[in-house]
Amino acid sequence: MTHALLPRFLASALLLMITSVSVMAATAADIRASVELRQNWQVLTRNLAFPAHWLPGTHEFYYRVTVAGGFAFIKENADNGQKGPAFDQTLVANGLSKAQAENVTALALPFDDFWYEDDGIGFYLHYEPWHCSLTQANCAKKPETSQPMADDEVRDLRVPADNHLRPSPDGKLQAHVVDHNLQVVDQHGKIVLLSQEGTAGNFYDPQTIQWSPDSRYLVIFRVTPGYARYVTRVLSSPQTQLQPEVIQQLYPKPGDAIDMEQPVLFDLHTGKHTDIDASLFPNAYDLANLYWRADSKTFAFEYTRRGHQQARLIEVDAASGKGRVVIDETSNTFIYQWRGYRHDVSQLGKEVIWLSERDGWAHLYLYDGKRGKVKNLITQGNWPVREVVHVDDEKRQIWFAASGVNAGEDPYFVHYYRVNFDGSGLTEITQTAANHHVSFSDDMQYFVDNYSRVDLPNVAELKKADGTLVRVIAKADISQLTAAGFKAPQVFVAKGRDGKSDIWGLIVKPQHFDPSKHYPVIENIYAGPHDSFVPKDFWPFGYHSGGDKVIGMQALANLGFIVVQMDGMGTANRSKAFHDVAWKNLGDSGFPDRILWHQAAAKKFPWYDISNGVGIYGASAGGQSTLSALLFHPEFYSVGVAFAGCYDNRMDKMSWNEQWMGWPVDDSYLRSSAVVNAAKLQGQLLIIFGEQDSNVDPSSSLQLVNALINANKDFELLEVPGGEHSVGRSTGPIDYVQRRQFMFFIKHLLQQPTPNWNKQ
């Protein structure tokens, strides 16, 4: 070692020594307490309500609320204030216990939301729809009632289509498909129309039949099937047998051939049928929201071109079968049609409300539907419309959600507004500076406003349409949670790479935080371009916030870390330019902004120690971003735990990846690939994935493993037998997976020994 290097070496060694003695080594009891923090804290709030849902056509609404021992579902009448249980939770718990052969308790039902249906309720459990009776203890997973579409792009032809007779509005005719052809019969079963050209390779899909309101016409899609790609998984440890089980899942990937749909118009008076001109929708990725106008003279549908750079509204004249383009939207990057919106005023199409980002922000436009020209902007400003809630054609008013309107507030806070079609009369109906979740009764006479911030516990209020308070439904009591040591995360803002954009994030400190000490920093990352992910609501266990929740960050912080989360450029809910950073660039993950944010925090807070590298963890797209941090920014990120990641976008589901990386598949996919760039790994890496991940192909993780081995890189690997995309939650103990994550950071970021759990 040269004398020139000695001072720098000694300084680094001294800094490491200072850091290591600043935070005491975690014991087995410390780790166990962190792993169990969620289950211990989730019962410590009272009267904390979640967003409400209204029963259709009524003034009754229901919601979930925290009570002693867990959660209760409450139903309440807006008019008279009467309330009671939304359903018999004990009955449902008994039914689920029998159906799953495991104990389920009434105040710990395994779902957050439900809906009323038939004689009971429906909900999702482990990604699958379930039904529970409310008259007897009987619950079951719901059978498939229609032919599923994998990733909404390729029909699963292993499952029969729902081919029941579909009656015309006047009840005189019925339509279905026989031997791949459309057949229409009258009330006596006599065939009045039968197509001839349908084949197994070019079939009519009965699930797409749409009658015109006057019963004269119907439109149906004729389908040329796409490529049936199957992901094959091996369930190594089934619960019902000794030998492994093979599972196949239809799973289209970027670049695969998809189902090609041809709308065909049938005239029941003449027997004539017309293929709608496909030159209006070339290379279609999606034909969506087909809708007959109320006068039966036209129907319309939305078209997205593959590659997501063109979207159109196409109208078809029923008498002639001729189509025309009403609205044509193009972009040099992507059009985010998942957030698109269209409304035909008075169901006639003479005027159309359309959402566009053409001026750099997501806004509503009023179109002349006949001329295809913009009449006026409805909303405008440097803020995005987030959701259209209701349109009143008679009053010519729109209710919508938006964020970033109010100067001085967090630009991600959602508020609700009313505006006239001509853009006048913009009125805010949620005044509190917080993040709002609003639900309206069908007749728009009432709404429930559930608002909070990370430092403001949930308040749920019932209001009239004009914003007048009717009553407070629930106001959270967090006294027990506070007594247990809960402290709200700290909001921190710094400038991004452009020197202008504010990057918003949260800092979570240990419960026993000492500002005189130095704490290494770990970033919780989820950078998917489909949304923003830093929690804006209070609830420490999270809802509508994406990624990991504040409680998981707190549990990790308690072991001697500062844990942070921020939304960098490339995520949604800001300007189009902010979002466009992700285009063909998922490997970026906003890291230039994130690194600047960390550096700004370290400059401001002496206890924020990034001198020995920053740790990082994330799941799914966050797993991919974790690898991107270690591979592309090894000078800054030194330790990572990657959960259930897609490490090469060619291996993941088509819809999500082509939306951001484009089509056809090009070298941008390679540039963002952790598998292709695996040889760049310098830091410490733990890969965790579930053997039965149905969201991201598990082979993506193993291909990364293969690439790392071939590059002679060291890493750790945990594959959870039977684990789904949530890794261990559905089939194994999540505390084991979380414990392994926590210990990895203790070992490699704190550089401390970890307990021998085999002797615990």
Side-chain angles (χ1 to χ4, degrees):
M1 180 178 296
T2 66
H3 291 292
L5 292 177
L6 187 58
R8 181 180 176 184
F9 170 76
L10 289 175
S12 297
L14 180 61
L15 183 58
L16 177 60
M17 181 177 69
I18 292 173
T19 302
S20 64
V21 300
S22 294
V23 180
M24 298 295 293
T27 66
D30 294 330
I31 296 172
R32 192 182 304 278
S34 283
V35 168
E36 295 175 351
L37 189 67
R38 179 186 300 272
Q39 67 186 57
N40 290 335
W41 275 15
Q42 68 181 359
V43 296
L44 297 183
T45 66
R46 299 290 183 270
N47 212 35
L48 191 154
F50 291 80
H53 305 275
W54 290 84
L55 275 68
T58 75
H59 283 172
E60 291 187 317
F61 58 93
Y62 58 93
Y63 54 93
R64 187 168 64 115
V65 65
T66 59
V67 296
F71 299 89
F73 290 90
I74 304 297
K75 184 167 66 174
E76 187 167 336
N77 186 290
D79 294 325
N80 57 31
Q82 291 183 351
K83 64 180 180 179
F87 57 86
D88 186 337
Q89 293 184 216
T90 300
L91 184 71
V92 169
N94 292 340
L96 282 171
S97 296
K98 289 194 300 182
Q100 298 187 105
E102 62 182 53
N103 185 48
V104 177
T105 60
L107 295 181
L109 295 175
F111 53 86
D112 297 337
D113 291 315
F114 75 95
W115 57 91
Y116 290 102
E117 59 181 18
D118 302 327
D119 70 332
I121 60 170
F123 53 89
Y124 279 95
L125 183 61
H126 305 320
Y127 302 100
E128 297 176 318
W130 277 66
H131 175 85
C132 286
S133 170
L134 294 182
T135 59
Q136 54 186 325
N138 184 16
C139 297
K141 184 172 70 173
K142 296 169 70 173
E144 292 280 2
T145 57
S146 61
Q147 186 177 72
M149 287 188 70
D151 210 22
D152 293 327
E153 299 307 331
V154 178
R155 288 163 174 80
D156 192 342
L157 299 181
R158 299 172 299 179
V159 180
D162 178 5
N163 196 23
H164 71 271
L165 287 164
R166 289 168 167 81
S168 59
D170 64 9
K172 295 180 180 179
L173 300 172
Q174 298 186 96
H176 64 156
V177 169
V178 177
D179 295 331
H180 312 300
N181 279 288
L182 175 70
Q183 183 182 93
V184 180
V185 297
D186 64 16
Q187 293 167 302
H188 307 291
K190 179 182 177 182
I191 298 173
V192 298
L193 184 148
L194 179 65
S195 69
Q196 302 295 322
E197 67 277 12
T199 65
N202 193 26
F203 59 86
Y204 283 95
D205 181 355
Q207 298 176 155
T208 65
I209 293 171
Q210 292 246 27
W211 284 97
S212 63
D214 66 1
S215 301
R216 174 174 176 173
Y217 304 99
L218 68 77
V219 64
I220 182 174
F221 285 175
R222 195 173 63 242
V223 179
T224 301
Y227 173 57
R229 178 188 294 280
Y230 293 97
V231 167
T232 301
R233 302 190 300 270
V234 176
L235 180 59
S236 64
S237 310
Q239 296 181 352
T240 57
Q241 64 187 51
L242 174 64
Q243 298 303 322
E245 180 182 346
V246 175
I247 297 172
Q248 282 196 321
Q249 177 186 358
L250 186 63
Y251 192 104
K253 295 186 178 183
D256 285 353
I258 62 177
D259 288 1
M260 299 306 296
E261 298 175 329
Q262 171 63 59
V264 184
L265 174 68
F266 286 83
D267 185 336
L268 275 300
H269 286 190
T270 65
K272 178 184 176 182
H273 71 277
T274 305
D275 285 8
I276 308 308
D277 182 4
S279 68
L280 296 168
F281 44 92
N283 194 20
Y285 178 81
D286 192 27
L287 303 179
N289 300 323
L290 192 148
Y291 178 84
W292 277 97
R293 268 51 185 276
D295 58 9
S296 297
K297 292 181 179 179
T298 59
F299 67 87
F301 58 91
E302 296 157 33
Y303 151 70
T304 300
R305 189 173 187 136
R306 195 158 187 189
H308 298 274
Q309 293 181 287
Q310 183 179 37
R312 285 175 168 175
L313 175 61
I314 296 171
E315 179 184 271
V316 178
D317 178 74
S320 66
K322 292 183 178 180
R324 69 183 184 97
V325 176
V326 179
I327 300 173
D328 195 355
E329 192 85 34
T330 60
S331 173
N332 292 327
T333 56
F334 57 83
I335 296 173
Y336 191 14
Q337 277 299 86
W338 296 357
R339 290 280 182 89
Y341 180 80
R342 154 202 158 208
H343 172 78
D344 292 337
V345 177
S346 300
Q347 301 181 23
L348 294 173
K350 294 179 181 179
E351 291 180 307
V352 178
I353 296 169
W354 180 264
L355 187 143
S356 170
E357 291 186 284
R358 67 187 61 179
D359 74 348
W361 298 86
H363 281 299
L364 297 171
Y365 292 74
L366 182 65
Y367 266 83
D368 181 326
K370 296 305 177 183
R371 297 170 58 239
K373 302 293 184 181
V374 175
K375 296 180 69 172
N376 60 264
L377 271 77
I378 300 173
T379 61
Q380 55 186 312
N382 293 340
W383 47 268
V385 171
R386 299 281 291 268
E387 178 191 11
V388 175
V389 177
H390 178 74
V391 178
D392 189 321
D393 292 333
E394 292 185 4
K395 294 181 179 179
R396 297 181 70 80
Q397 291 181 328
I398 303 170
W399 284 258
F400 67 96
S403 55
V405 180
N406 298 334
E409 278 191 21
D410 185 324
Y412 294 94
F413 282 173
V414 174
H415 287 266
Y416 288 74
Y417 303 85
R418 184 179 65 250
V419 68
N420 298 321
F421 280 14
D422 63 4
S424 66
L426 180 65
T427 303
E428 182 179 354
I429 62 173
T430 52
Q431 283 74 34
T432 304
N435 197 45
H436 294 259
H437 300 270
V438 169
S439 55
F440 291 86
S441 61
D442 283 355
D443 60 9
M444 301 299 291
Q445 289 191 30
Y446 293 105
F447 66 89
V448 176
D449 181 10
N450 190 309
Y451 61 87
S452 68
R453 299 185 304 265
V454 293
D455 63 343
L456 173 67
N458 298 36
V459 178
E461 297 176 338
L462 176 66
K463 296 183 177 181
K464 292 184 178 179
D466 61 2
T468 303
L469 178 67
V470 177
R471 60 180 174 272
V472 175
I473 297 168
K475 188 173 183 179
D477 176 357
I478 64 165
S479 56
Q480 292 185 51
L481 186 65
T482 302
F486 171 79
K487 293 182 178 65
Q490 179 177 347
V491 177
F492 185 71
V493 184
K495 294 298 181 185
R497 71 187 78 179
D498 60 2
K500 300 177 182 178
S501 299
D502 285 335
I503 305 300
W504 287 71
L506 294 178
I507 297 174
V508 177
K509 304 170 187 174
Q511 283 181 258
H512 302 293
F513 173 72
D514 183 345
S516 68
K517 294 182 178 180
H518 295 82
Y519 295 88
V521 177
I522 299 174
E523 180 181 340
N524 167 24
I525 189 168
Y526 194 95
H530 58 282
D531 210 338
S532 54
F533 304 96
V534 174
K536 303 299 174 182
D537 303 303
F538 168 78
W539 184 229
F541 314 103
Y543 63 92
H544 300 302
S545 54
D548 198 13
K549 312 305 180 190
V550 172
I551 187 67
M553 296 168 67
Q554 184 68 68
L556 181 55
N558 284 351
L559 296 173
F561 303 101
I562 297 296
V563 185
V564 303
Q565 186 177 5
M566 77 285 299
D567 285 312
M569 298 183 83
T571 52
N573 302 324
R574 299 285 287 277
S575 69
K576 175 68 170 159
F578 193 100
H579 202 187
D580 275 348
V581 168
W583 175 242
K584 290 185 175 294
N585 192 28
L586 288 180
D588 178 277
S589 295
F591 284 118
D593 316 299
R594 297 169 186 277
I595 291 171
L596 288 171
W597 191 94
H598 283 291
Q599 291 171 339
K603 184 177 181 180
K604 183 172 183 178
F605 307 118
W607 39 264
Y608 197 99
D609 187 359
I610 60 174
S611 59
N612 291 307
V614 170
I616 189 167
Y617 70 97
S620 194
Q624 178 182 7
S625 294
T626 297
L627 261 294
S628 294
L630 297 179
L631 300 180
F632 304 134
H633 303 278
E635 77 291 345
F636 194 82
Y637 293 96
S638 59
V639 183
V641 180
F643 293 84
C646 160
Y647 304 109
D648 188 313
N649 297 102
R650 298 171 295 177
M651 285 291 292
D652 194 25
K653 66 195 75 65
M654 174 189 292
S655 61
W656 196 87
N657 292 274
E658 286 193 9
Q659 169 69 68
W660 315 116
M661 298 295 287
W663 179 93
V665 174
D666 58 17
D667 62 355
S668 67
Y669 283 77
L670 306 182
R671 291 195 301 271
S672 291
S673 169
V675 176
V676 172
N677 292 282
K680 296 180 179 179
L681 179 67
Q682 296 182 33
Q684 301 296 324
L685 171 64
L686 169 60
I687 302 167
I688 303 176
F689 73 100
E691 173 193 70
Q692 292 303 308
D693 192 333
S694 61
N695 187 304
V696 173
D697 186 347
S699 292
S700 185
S701 291
L702 292 174
Q703 287 184 359
L704 174 63
V705 167
N706 183 55
L708 291 169
I709 291 172
N710 290 337
N712 198 31
K713 298 294 182 178
D714 290 337
F715 58 94
E716 293 187 27
L717 174 68
L718 173 59
E719 178 181 2
V720 180
E724 244 286 1
H725 191 56
S726 54
V727 186
R729 290 184 176 133
S730 61
T731 57
I734 187 61
D735 58 347
Y736 177 82
V737 176
Q738 192 174 53
R739 176 173 69 77
R740 289 288 301 272
Q741 173 200 355
F742 290 178
M743 290 174 60
F744 192 78
F745 283 122
I746 292 170
K747 179 179 179 181
H748 293 290
L749 199 57
L750 284 179
Q751 298 183 357
Q752 294 175 354
T754 56
N756 182 347
W757 284 84
N758 292 347
K759 293 185 177 181
Q760 296 298 316

